Amino acid sequence: MKIFVSGSLAYDRIMDFPGRFADHIMPDKLHVINISFTVSGIVERPGGTAGNIAYALRLLGEDPTIVASIGRDYQPYFQWFDSKGIDRNAIHIVEEEATACAHIITDMADNQITAFNPGAMKHPSPLPVGNARAGDSIAIIGPGNLDDMVSYSQQFRSLDIRFIFDPGQSLPLWDSGSLANAIRGCHILIANDYELALIKEITGLSDHALLRLTDAIITTKGEHGSVIVTDEGETHVPAIPRPDTLVDPTGAGDAYRGGLIKGLVNGRTLERACRIGTTCASFAIEVQGTQEYTFTPQEFQSRLTSHFPS
């Protein structure tokens, strides 16, 4: 099956803060906030929503098509993709810009502060649908270039291709009507609990009203698992207990989405697809970096069946 993965391609500069942000914030001074955190180190790795999801799918044996823009400093990222066997032929190179870059600081409570420079992501990228058909294609629209997100949702609807809509970090850029129209007709709307609350605030729509626009809403809640809401009701998918080797939650959400798509491609029910997503995310949190975790098919299946035996 053809899998289109859109969103961002970025270099992640990941930093760990050996404390808690809340201990350094004075609530009565939020209007004049001026805080400096001394981090324990910095590591640069390939990231971005499209790259992270594609990486998860490749680990799971799929061959996704990445639809995104990258800057003139693309060579290290392309070398990484080549080493992992990830197709990069549909990626749009923007020579006049640097690749997007995220500066991510994570504290001891897994809270994160991110500063993001969009760089090449400011430029749209063409969608190479070619002869893709409704029955043999699936897509995810991740947070990336806003014009692309609007355009892709229109194109996938017109082709009757199932797509997952995941606005994520792009939410502050949307207005009510545009966001509701982009959601309209998607197979799944996916967000974490904070993002879903923001979606409701921007659109003014309740869960019930959103379900008139989409077949299902999946809310990811970190260590508390995820929740599927459809017209038939609500289903909770528990998280896999955090291991002693927990290192960094960055990228777990994208790993979840890769596993979710893998389950859908294999014809699994939505609940079982979310279990695959949960299992994939459990590997991602064991290492620092969003594309550094790995597993064999046997290791993945063993963890999946041991936590979700039925």
Side-chain angles (χ1 to χ4, degrees):
M1 180 173 285
K2 190 79 169 176
I3 303 173
F4 296 100
V5 178
S6 73
S8 61
L9 290 173
Y11 291 114
D12 289 339
R13 296 192 175 103
I14 301 170
M15 294 158 276
D16 290 324
F17 173 58
R20 297 174 184 270
F21 296 143
D23 295 338
H24 298 264
I25 297 174
M26 294 185 289
D28 61 330
K29 297 294 183 181
L30 289 177
H31 63 294
V32 288
I33 192 166
N34 185 355
I35 301 173
S36 176
F37 298 107
T38 300
V39 299
S40 58
I42 182 170
V43 178
E44 181 175 283
R45 292 191 172 97
T49 54
N52 297 341
I53 295 170
Y55 177 81
L57 283 163
R58 189 68 187 127
L59 275 182
L60 292 165
E62 298 299 330
D63 187 21
T65 297
I66 299 174
V67 186
S69 293
I70 197 167
R72 57 181 173 269
D73 51 346
Y74 62 86
Q75 291 92 343
Y77 214 146
F78 278 14
Q79 290 170 4
W80 172 255
F81 279 153
D82 290 346
S83 73
K84 302 301 176 182
I86 298 173
D87 181 13
R88 55 177 173 80
N89 291 325
I91 297 173
H92 175 54
I93 299 173
V94 181
E95 293 287 357
E96 63 268 30
E97 295 274 7
T99 299
C101 183
H103 299 260
I104 305 165
I105 307 176
T106 305
D107 75 0
M108 292 179 65
D110 291 344
N111 297 303
Q112 291 185 326
I113 296 174
T114 300
F116 184 73
N117 171 36
M121 200 183 77
K122 293 181 292 188
H123 299 258
S125 53
L127 180 62
V129 289
N131 59 354
R133 299 186 303 275
D136 64 4
S137 302
I138 191 170
I140 182 166
I141 300 175
N145 179 279
L146 205 64
D147 291 337
D148 283 344
M149 296 177 75
V150 171
S151 173
Y152 296 164
S153 64
Q154 294 170 344
Q155 292 182 69
F156 290 135
R157 275 195 301 269
S158 68
L159 294 169
D160 201 24
I161 290 174
R162 284 189 303 167
F163 70 95
I164 299 165
F165 192 71
D166 174 24
Q169 303 97 318
S170 74
L171 281 168
L173 303 176
W174 292 86
D175 62 61
S176 175
S178 298
L179 181 57
N181 284 334
I183 296 169
R184 189 183 311 277
C186 71
H187 180 49
I188 298 167
L189 171 64
I190 187 168
N192 63 34
D193 47 357
Y194 175 82
E195 292 162 352
L196 182 60
L198 192 53
I199 290 169
K200 293 177 184 179
E201 180 181 318
I202 294 170
T203 62
L205 299 175
S206 63
D207 280 349
H208 181 72
L210 285 171
L211 285 173
R212 298 195 190 108
L213 304 180
T214 181
D215 298 329
I217 302 170
I218 296 176
T219 309
T220 58
K221 299 185 174 185
E223 63 183 310
H224 302 294
S226 54
V227 176
I228 307 165
V229 178
T230 68
D231 286 333
E232 297 178 356
E234 184 175 300
T235 303
H236 177 250
V237 178
I240 292 176
R242 290 185 170 187
D244 294 335
T245 53
L246 172 66
V247 174
D248 186 1
T250 309
D254 293 332
Y256 182 103
R257 285 149 176 76
L260 168 68
I261 295 168
K262 173 66 174 180
L264 296 175
V265 166
N266 285 356
R268 302 290 190 264
T269 65
L270 195 49
E271 181 179 0
R272 290 183 179 275
C274 287
R275 292 177 179 180
I276 295 172
T278 297
T279 304
C280 195
S282 75
F283 283 96
I285 66 175
E286 294 177 347
V287 298
Q288 188 180 63
T290 58
Q291 298 177 35
E292 302 297 322
Y293 64 98
T294 188
F295 48 74
T296 66
Q298 294 77 18
E299 289 170 336
F300 188 90
Q301 189 63 32
S302 175
R303 185 173 296 189
L304 175 64
T305 55
S306 65
H307 291 282
F308 302 107
S310 60

